Structures are given as structure tokens and as C-alpha cells.
């Protein structure tokens, strides 16, 4: 009996070594942690329960039968983050470069199936050379099995991908179908075809970092939602994100203890809006001032900065925030910001996270670049996302709400539950100058007349009261009381029940 017990211990020890000490050292030398070290940082201490420790590949080509390391290049199982269950897989680059074999894929599929069945998020830590070359099509089949599960799990349990090494070829499409992708600066990259193929086909010379590093994907492509300095920070930030999320689509986000008065008055907000309507101000200041303990988890911070998306808590409950940022492109909506915000709104709606929208938008960005790029379709994504969302929706117009963008930004007409405006709000078809130049075209040669018409238009429309008279704005509120008003609004909506008509699925303009 004792021998059997010690054999198990020996086998476990062996499995924990993955591809061996030399390769572990080389992983460390690159500034990367091992698959197991990452898990230790991600999960609550001692909470990890491993599955399939001893699974080995079945390949007999290329002499592979002589090397059958336990675990086959991926560590899988479940554990807890601040006491709440998550399933995870962590690819082990020290074993065949973390490449995905048939059995490696089966291990991932097993925990994904369990996560779906038991209603808990899936966190995938990616560090892999892609398809196990020795296994050929069996490995491709394995990827497809994972893809299919990513699709089925979408909107059922949150899926988070952390890219902590290579992720190339078709392998990128699994993270791409998850809800959030995070990368580690300098040690991770993602691309469909690598620098060598790019050079052969297009003659472009580009490094792996330039082609698919964290900077590229958080600033240019928007494939990634955030980038972290190193493995340790990445794991800590994923823990922070998980704390904001429900475990599944039938669960509510956790209610955390809060140490911030819901009725807290912020007098400084009364002077947030500059006297000059064309002067920018930082919308993040408003978000931080109304959030519990000023805690804001921003998503896609470095992309389409003219819109801000992320999670806060109000009275300890998660709220998704979408806000125009007047500091960038005057807060205009454009292709990138519409796509970014639409995806965020849809995530919130899928997981029953209420949405708070702060509006200061002068309209859609004009130009051939936008029109040729399909701003009509991309802008419609955000409109569609807000309109189909059935979660509690509270909107505060701080300043401009012009034209189609007024409608899009969670207006009353898109089933907004509480639509507030600050006294500084200007809700109109367009800005006074543009409007005057159209409706008083005959007076264009007379600057005095135009100035008078402009003033007249401003007096009549550059305020929240026309909309308030029609009930499109439920109430004009004092900026300093925003946290209290918004908290109370969400509290009143906790039992909101709204259903869309039955359909197989909608046809959002993709
Ligand atoms: C089997 C692999 C492997 C793979 C790496 N290794 N990738 N084994 N299949 N795909 C092994 C190496 O042989 C090596 O083994 C160890 O992992 C570490 O690899 P190195 O090359 O020494 O590491 P490094 O220099 O850091 O380079 C990492 C790498 C490179 C950039 C990932 O290994 C590489 O280019 N690998 C091939 C990538 C690839 O073409 N994959 C297929 C992509 S297509 P030893 O024993 O020496 O330690 C694909 C399709 C998916 O994935 C389609 C889904 C639909």
C-alpha cells in the first residue's frame, strides 16, 4: 500500500515538472512563469483541483511514443477566485512548446463542458506553439472541438483568455471568440500568419512584436482588451475582473461589501462642465467620482479613446459604464468607438449587468474614411446593442446629445429606464452654428444676423428642457447628486423584467 501511495507521489512530482527543469529555467529566463505558477497566482491559495494530471498523448509518429509526458502540455482544473468557482486551463510551454494535441484539446474540452454544466467562468491561459505538428489533422480537429465549445459557451459563462506567450495561426480563434483577451507586454503575441509568411507573401518586414504584440492589439487592432506589464500583474488583474462578473448568465454579479455612502454628494461635479461648450473635460473624472471607492475596471483603455467602457460598482453591485470622452475627437462616435461600445453593451446584457451611460456626444465623426469604412453599419451595431438590451439602463446626459448619436446613446426611445440630464445638457438635432447655417441660409452673408439666429437657436434648444417637456428626459438633475440619483435608479430596477420577442437569434449588423 505504502509503495502505491509513494508511486502516486512520484508520478505527481514528475507531472509537476512538465518538460523538465531546463525548460522551466528557460521559461523563467524569458521573464515568464510556468503554467502552474500562473495558476497559483490566479486562484485562491490551495483551491486548485487538477483534472487529467496523467493524460498523455497517443501519437506514435516521428518517435513521439518515446516521449509521453504526463499532462500533455496543459494543466486543467478548477479552483476559486475570492471564493467563487472558475474553471481554467493553462498551457505548459515546457512540454512540446505548449502545442495542442488531440489529448491536450480533450483536456480543455472536458473543463469547458464542466464549466457550462456547472455554470462557472472559463479562464484560458495561452502559451503555445499552436497545433502539435507531429499530430497533423488530429490536432486541427482538437482546435475545432475547442472552438465549438467557445461558441456554445458564449453568453452562458464568461470566458476570459490571457495570452502569455505565442498564440498563432488558427489557434488565435479560440481566444478571439471569448469575452475578454488580455496580453502580457513583450512576452506575448497573436497573429494568424507570422512575420516569415508575411514577408514571403507581402514583402513586409515586421517583427513578431510589431505584428501581434500587446501594443498592436490593444491600440491598433482592438483584438485585446488590455495589456499588463508581466505575468504577476496579469493574474492579479484577471482576479480583479472576475470579482465584477457573475458566474454565469443565470446568476447575478456578486454583491461586494462597500464603504462608500450611496448618497455621497460630489460638489465638484457642479463645475465639471466648462463654461465654453467647445472645451473638453475628462469624463473619467465623473466615472471615478460616482463609483464605489472610485474603483473602475476599464476595458479597452487604449483603443477608441473617444468612448470609455468598463465596470464600476454602485452599492457593491456591478454596473457596466459606457461614456463618451470629450477629450478625444470631442467625444464623437465613429467606427472604432461604436464597435468597442457595442461589444461591451452586449456583454453586459448577456450577463445581466446593468448599464450606466454618460452622454456628451456631438454626433458621428464625418469624413470619407468613416463612410468608406462602413460607419453606417458599425454605428448601427451600438444602436442595435442598446436597443436589444433588456438589462436596467440608466443614462445621464452631461452636455451634448446631438443628432443620431442622441438616439444611439441609450436614449429613452431605446427603452432607457431612467434618462437623466444635467442642466448643462444640450439635446438637439445638431449644434447651433450648423443648424443656423442650414435653416437661415439666406442670411449667410450677414454675420450679425447669423449670430443672432445662432443665439436664438441656443436659447431654444441648447438645454435639456425641450426634451424634458416631452418626457424624453425623466428628470433634470444636479450634477453633485448624480451618484445618489443613479444608485437609487438602479436599486429601483433590481426586479426589472423585460423580454424581447422570441426569435432564433437576431441579425445584428456585423
Ligand atoms: C510540436 C512544438 C511546436 C508545435 C514548438 N514546439 N511548437 N512541437 N508542435 N507546434 C516545440 C519545439 O520543438 C521545442 O521542443 C519546444 O516546443 C520549444 O520550441 P522552440 O522553437 O525551441 O521555442 P521558441 O524559440 O521560443 O519558439 C516558439 C515558437 C516556435 C515561435 C512557437 O516553436 C514555432 O514557430 N513553432 C511552430 C509554430 C507553428 O508553426 N505551429 C503551427 C501553427 S498552425 P524542444 O524539445 O526543443 O524543447 C496552427 C494551426 C491551428 O496552429 C489551426 C487551428 C484551426
Amino acid at each position: 500500500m505504502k509503495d502505491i501511495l509513494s508511486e502516486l507521489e512520484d508520478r505527481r512530482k514528475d507531472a509537476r515538472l512538465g518538460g523538465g527543469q531546463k525548460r522551466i529555467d528557460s521559461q523563467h529566463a524569458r521573464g515568464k512563469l510556468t503554467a502552474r505558477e500562473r495558476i497559483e497566482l490566479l486562484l485562491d491559495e490551495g483551491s486548485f483541483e487538477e483534472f487529467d494530471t496523467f493524460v498523455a498523448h497517443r501519437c506514435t509518429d516521428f518517435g513521439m511514443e518515446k516521449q509521453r509526458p504526463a499532462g500533455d502540455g496543459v494543466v486543467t482544473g478548477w479552483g476559486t477566485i475570492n471564493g467563487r468557482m472558475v474553471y481554467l486551463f493553462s498551457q505548459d510551454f515546457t512540454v512540446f512548446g505548449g502545442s495542442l494535441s488531440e489529448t491536450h484539446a480533450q483536456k480543455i474540452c472536458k473543463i469547458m463542458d464542466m464549466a457550462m454544466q456547472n455554470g462557472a467562468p472559463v479562464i484560458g491561459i495561452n502559451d503555445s506553439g499552436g497545433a502539435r505538428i507531429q499530430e497533423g489533422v488530429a490536432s486541427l480537429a482538437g482546435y475545432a472541438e475547442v472552438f465549438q465549445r467557445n461558441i456554445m459557451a458564449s453568453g452562458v459563462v464568461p470566458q476570459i483568455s490571457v495570452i502569455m506567450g505565442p498564440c498563432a495561426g488558427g489557434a488565435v480563434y479560440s481566444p478571439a471568440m471569448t469575452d475578454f483577451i488580455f496580453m502580457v507586454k513583450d512576452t506575448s503575441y497573436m497573429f494568424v500568419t507570422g512575420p516569415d509568411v508575411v514577408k514571403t507573401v507581402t514583402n513586409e518586414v515586421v517583427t513578431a512584436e510589431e505584428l501581434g504584440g500587446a501594443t498592436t492589439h490593444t491600440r491598433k487592432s482592438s483584438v485585446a482588451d488590455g495589456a499588463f506589464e508581466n505575468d504577476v500583474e496579469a493574474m492579479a488583474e484577471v482576479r480583479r475582473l472576475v470579482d465584477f462578473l457573475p458566474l454565469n448568465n443565470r446568476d447575478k454579479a456578486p454583491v461586494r461589501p462597500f464603504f462608500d455612502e450611496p448618497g455621497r454628494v460630489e460638489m465638484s461635479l457642479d463645475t465639471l462642465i466648462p463654461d465654453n461648450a467647445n472645451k473638453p473635460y475628462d469624463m473619467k473624472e465623473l466615472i471615478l467620482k460616482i463609483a464605489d471607492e472610485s474603483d473602475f475596471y476599464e476595458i479597452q483603455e487604449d483603443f477608441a479613446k473617444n468612448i470609455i467602457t468598463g465596470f464600476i460598482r454602485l452599492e457593491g453591485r456591478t454596473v457596466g459604464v459606457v461614456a463618451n470622452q470629450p477629450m478625444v475627437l470631442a467625444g464623437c462616435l465613429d467606427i472604432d468607438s461604436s464597435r468597442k461600445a457595442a461589444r461591451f453593451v452586449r456583454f453586459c446584457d448577456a450577463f445581466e449587468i446593468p448599464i450606466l451611460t454618460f452622454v456628451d456626444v456631438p454626433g458621428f465623426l464625418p469624413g470619407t474614411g468613416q463612410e468608406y469604412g462602413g460607419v453606417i453599419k458599425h454605428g448601427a451595431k451600438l444602436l442595435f446593442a442598446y436597443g436589444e438590451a433588456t438589462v436596467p439602463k440608466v443614462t445621464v446626459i452631461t452636455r451634448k446629445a446631438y443628432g443620431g448619436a442622441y438616439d444611439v446613446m441609450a436614449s429613452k426611445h431605446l427603452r432607457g429606464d431612467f434618462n437623466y440630464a444635467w442642466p448643462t445638457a444640450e439635446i438637439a438635432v445638431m449644434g447651433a452654428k450648423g443648424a443656423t447655417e442650414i435653416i437661415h441660409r439666406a442670411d449667410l452673408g450677414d454675420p450679425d444676423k447669423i449670430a443672432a439666429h445662432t443665439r436664438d437657436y441656443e436659447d431654444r434648444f441648447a438645454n435639456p428642457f425641450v426634451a424634458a417637456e416631452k418626457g424624453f428626459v425623466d428628470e433634470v438633475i444636479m450634477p453633485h447628486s448624480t451618484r445618489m440619483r443613479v444608485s437609487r435608479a438602479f436599486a429601483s430596477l433590481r426586479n426589472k423584467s423585460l423580454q424581447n420577442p422570441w426569435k432564433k437569434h437576431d441579425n445584428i449588423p456585423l
Side-chain angles (χ1 to χ4, degrees):
M1 175 71 180
K2 220 166 165 207
D3 285 352
I4 298 172
L5 298 187
S6 68
E7 187 191 337
L8 174 60
E9 264 318 312
D10 289 346
R11 279 177 178 259
R12 280 183 173 166
K13 218 193 252 161
D14 194 41
R16 282 192 207 113
L17 264 185
Q21 194 57 46
K22 215 170 120 215
R23 291 192 183 89
I24 292 175
D25 293 343
S26 138
Q27 180 88 343
H28 286 159
R30 295 175 186 208
K32 291 161 66 179
L33 296 176
T34 64
R36 286 173 191 278
E37 287 164 345
R38 288 164 175 165
I39 292 174
E40 259 174 49
L41 288 175
L42 180 63
L43 297 179
D44 297 339
E45 204 181 335
S47 73
F48 182 48
E49 296 276 353
E50 188 165 350
F51 283 122
D52 292 339
T53 312
F54 303 113
V55 160
H57 70 75
R58 294 185 281 260
C59 178
T60 51
D61 291 314
F62 305 101
M64 286 292 279
E65 67 279 4
K66 294 190 205 100
Q67 302 176 64
R68 299 182 69 238
D72 202 24
V74 65
V75 183
T76 60
W78 67 275
T80 58
I81 292 182
N82 285 325
R84 298 165 71 236
M85 189 161 77
V86 296
Y87 285 83
L88 60 84
F89 67 87
S90 181
Q91 291 178 314
D92 183 351
F93 192 78
T94 70
V95 176
F96 304 123
S99 57
L100 184 135
S101 67
E102 185 181 16
T103 41
H104 177 127
Q106 282 167 354
K107 285 182 66 172
I108 295 176
C109 290
K110 186 189 269 187
I111 61 107
M112 291 183 79
D113 290 341
M114 295 190 78
M116 291 272 282
Q117 177 189 289
N118 301 330
V122 180
I123 301 172
I125 298 174
N126 295 258
D127 188 358
S128 163
R132 175 94 40 96
I133 293 166
Q134 296 89 335
E135 293 208 10
V137 71
S139 154
L140 300 186
Y143 269 118
E145 294 286 343
V146 176
F147 296 161
Q148 181 65 46
R149 283 165 177 79
N150 287 132
I151 297 161
M152 291 299 104
S154 182
V156 178
V157 293
Q159 301 181 81
I160 299 171
S161 301
V162 200
I163 315 299
M164 306 187 87
C167 183
V172 296
Y173 288 112
S174 173
M177 290 189 291
T178 62
D179 297 302
F180 299 105
I181 299 182
F182 297 104
M183 297 182 73
V184 180
K185 290 179 192 167
D186 304 322
T187 52
S188 70
Y189 53 83
M190 296 177 81
F191 36 66
V192 174
T193 47
D196 294 344
V197 180
V198 168
K199 181 160 189 302
T200 311
V201 177
T202 71
N203 245 329
E204 290 168 290
V205 177
V206 66
T207 64
E209 180 63 25
E210 287 162 351
L211 187 62
T215 306
T216 299
H217 286 314
T218 50
R219 288 165 199 239
K220 284 192 182 148
S221 72
S222 83
V223 163
D225 297 286
F228 303 117
E229 294 299 328
N230 51 50
D231 286 14
V232 176
E233 190 191 26
M235 294 296 95
E237 286 296 309
V238 171
R239 282 180 66 90
R240 212 179 128 221
L241 174 63
V242 168
D243 278 350
F244 280 96
L245 307 181
L247 296 180
N248 60 65
N249 61 349
R250 292 176 188 278
D251 192 31
K252 291 265 185 203
V255 184
R256 294 273 150 192
F258 59 100
F259 307 95
D260 199 352
E261 180 53 43
R264 173 167 52 80
V265 162
E266 264 304 334
M267 294 312 290
S268 62
L269 290 178
D270 287 351
T271 50
L272 179 66
I273 307 292
D275 291 336
N276 179 346
N278 294 320
K279 251 182 121 182
Y281 60 93
D282 190 358
M283 188 63 98
K284 267 188 208 169
E285 200 180 319
L286 170 56
I287 298 170
L288 293 175
K289 282 188 170 153
I290 70 133
D292 282 1
E293 292 102 26
S294 289
D295 188 15
F296 179 43
Y297 195 101
E298 191 163 354
I299 299 292
Q300 297 220 343
E301 182 175 3
D302 293 322
F303 183 75
K305 293 181 173 193
N306 42 332
I307 208 152
I308 304 166
T309 53
F311 301 106
I312 60 167
R313 290 190 190 86
L314 289 172
E315 298 191 67
R317 290 162 200 267
T318 304
V319 171
V321 177
V322 179
N324 306 115
Q325 171 58 290
M327 307 260 286
V328 181
L329 292 172
C332 268
L333 283 177
D334 61 355
I335 293 171
D336 290 345
S337 56
S338 300
R339 279 179 41 229
K340 168 178 162 180
R343 185 159 167 78
F344 183 75
V345 166
R346 294 195 101 215
F347 175 82
C348 291
D349 190 47
F351 289 101
E352 282 302 322
I353 295 172
I355 300 167
L356 171 62
T357 305
F358 288 126
V359 183
D360 187 350
V361 63
F364 276 93
L365 186 68
T368 50
Q370 289 292 309
E371 297 294 347
Y372 295 170
V375 67
I376 296 174
K377 249 195 180 155
H378 296 295
K381 291 185 166 110
L382 183 54
L383 172 59
F384 200 112
Y386 267 127
E388 73 176 343
T390 55
V391 288
K393 292 186 278 195
V394 175
T395 304
V396 181
I397 301 173
T398 59
R399 189 166 61 177
K400 296 170 189 167
Y402 288 162
Y406 154 74
D407 280 344
V408 169
M409 293 299 297
S411 63
K412 194 79 201 159
H413 325 288
L414 300 181
R415 305 188 296 182
D417 295 298
F418 281 76
N419 289 71
Y420 288 137
W422 284 4
T424 42
E426 306 168 17
I427 306 167
V429 174
M430 58 172 70
K433 191 165 170 290
T436 304
E437 286 170 2
I438 293 170
I439 54 185
H440 298 290
R441 191 166 284 164
D443 293 335
L444 271 182
D446 186 337
D448 290 342
K449 272 191 179 165
I450 288 292
H453 290 315
T454 305
R455 270 196 308 279
D456 180 44
Y457 187 92
E458 277 170 0
D459 289 345
R460 288 171 64 177
F461 295 112
N463 62 63
F465 299 107
V466 180
E469 277 172 26
K470 295 184 190 303
F472 301 159
V473 159
D474 296 302
E475 192 65 301
V476 182
I477 63 168
M478 285 294 190
H480 64 249
S481 65
T482 304
R483 176 174 154 87
M484 188 255 290
R485 302 297 287 244
V486 165
S487 300
R488 294 199 77 203
F490 281 120
S492 77
L493 293 166
R494 277 184 203 146
N495 294 325
K496 177 180 176 183
S497 167
L498 176 65
Q499 247 119 43
N500 291 333
W502 187 91
K503 51 182 102 173
K504 187 168 177 194
H505 57 71
D506 57 40
N507 191 14
I508 188 165
L510 292 175

